[in-house]
Amino acid sequence: MLLPRRAVIFLGVCFFLVILLTSRSLSRPWRDVPQVVGLGVWNMTRGHTNHDLYAPLPDFIPGTPKPPGYKYSKVLVVTRTKEEDTKWIAKELPDWGHAIYVADDPTAPLHPPKNKGHEVMIYLTYIVDHYDQLPDVAVFMHSHQFAWHNDALFAGDAAQLLRRLNLNRVIREGYMNTRCGFGPGCPAWMHPGALEADESKQEEIMLARAWGELFPDQPIPSVLSQPCCAQFALSRDRIRSIPRARFVFYRDWLLSTDLSDYITGRIWEYLWQFIFTGEAVLCVDENVCLCDGYGFCFGGNEEWNAYRETQTKKDELQQELDNWMWFTGFGFDDNESDDVTGEQGEVLTQQLQEKQQELIETLYAAMERGKNPKYRALEAGRPWKEGDGF
């Protein structure tokens, strides 16, 4: 028996609606992930506000330094392995407290719940475990005294860096990267929307996924930047502006994620500034960081760049002199060079000494200016009145 025309039309419409609703239902989960292809638009179509499922964002308020002469309590939080030696800390920094965690020794007095995420697990564990007994300032660092990522003005020496660190700046800012140099990390380093892997930053293409899991109520930024390499100082107030439960959540994510130890450690290297300042990009002018943070006050960005150019020229002269000495030392100059008397070597030596002297004088003047709190405030662009300290 054939169905009436109206019944056929009705059934056809019903079939079409079923197909349409099924298609929409199957596609809906893709709108719930932080990134499908590229950066994507995510959390604005959730059907709820940012306030009904998630805790409010921290209120990051600048701190107020204590009067001049006040002795801040300070602790150095260090991550190391069993093979690494940290005896230098007690020897070089006797006035610092320290919490030295051994990442790969579960029998050590201080150790993380799991050796994963490089320094991240230990940094978070310290905050979770000491949240109610924090010092005025905590500095989070690696175990090595000498490292390339400690700025050249300290000759790579972490002990020198910490002796010169201006704790008042840490109190004011709340969070301070201990590295001032931009490279690598600034001004625009990580792009969470990247689709193609970059061998020099393998974690980049995983950032959007991690961001969506760690900050589900925050839009994914187009850029994440700060100077490398996961060493920074925090004030007690800045840490406590974030609920302890949130640090527990971050650590639980690290414990449970299927991302590798290497990748998770690298991802977090460019998340710390967001967690403690709310800023995706935190690239403080190098001259400001060096002056207000460590007392090397060159007078401004232009003067700092001039000092760096002189340093570059000095290094070039040193290389040129080394090459000349190598060639003449092997007797290669007799037929290939007109400098039989060694005049070229004397000229290079004289030029090198002049550049070295210029650098010494400029650096000495910068350190003298840095002894004056007014100069520090002026270069940092912050207000200062008579009687204020650093």
Side-chain angles (χ1 to χ4, degrees), residues 272-291:
W272 294 114
Q273 82 280 6
F274 178 79
I275 288 172
F276 290 112
T277 71
E279 300 290 337
V281 176
L282 189 64
C283 296
V284 179
D285 287 343
E286 291 182 50
N287 67 292
V288 171
C289 175
L290 289 169
C291 178

Side-chain angles (χ1 to χ4, degrees), residues 144-166:
H144 310 291
Q145 180 179 358
F146 295 94
W148 68 266
H149 49 71
N150 296 328
D151 283 306
L153 288 180
F154 309 109
D157 186 353
Q160 284 195 46
L161 182 155
L162 289 167
R163 283 194 289 265
R164 296 195 65 90
L165 177 64
N166 180 10

Side-chain angles (χ1 to χ4, degrees), residues 166 169 172-173 284-285 287-293 296-297 299-301 373-384 390:
N166 180 10
R169 178 172 175 82
R172 271 194 303 271
E173 300 295 321
V284 179
D285 287 343
N287 67 292
V288 171
C289 175
L290 289 169
C291 178
D292 200 31
F296 295 110
C297 298
N301 193 50
K374 183 177 181 180
Y375 283 148
R376 289 203 193 190
L378 180 64
E379 190 153 346
R382 57 179 172 82
W384 186 89
F390 293 105

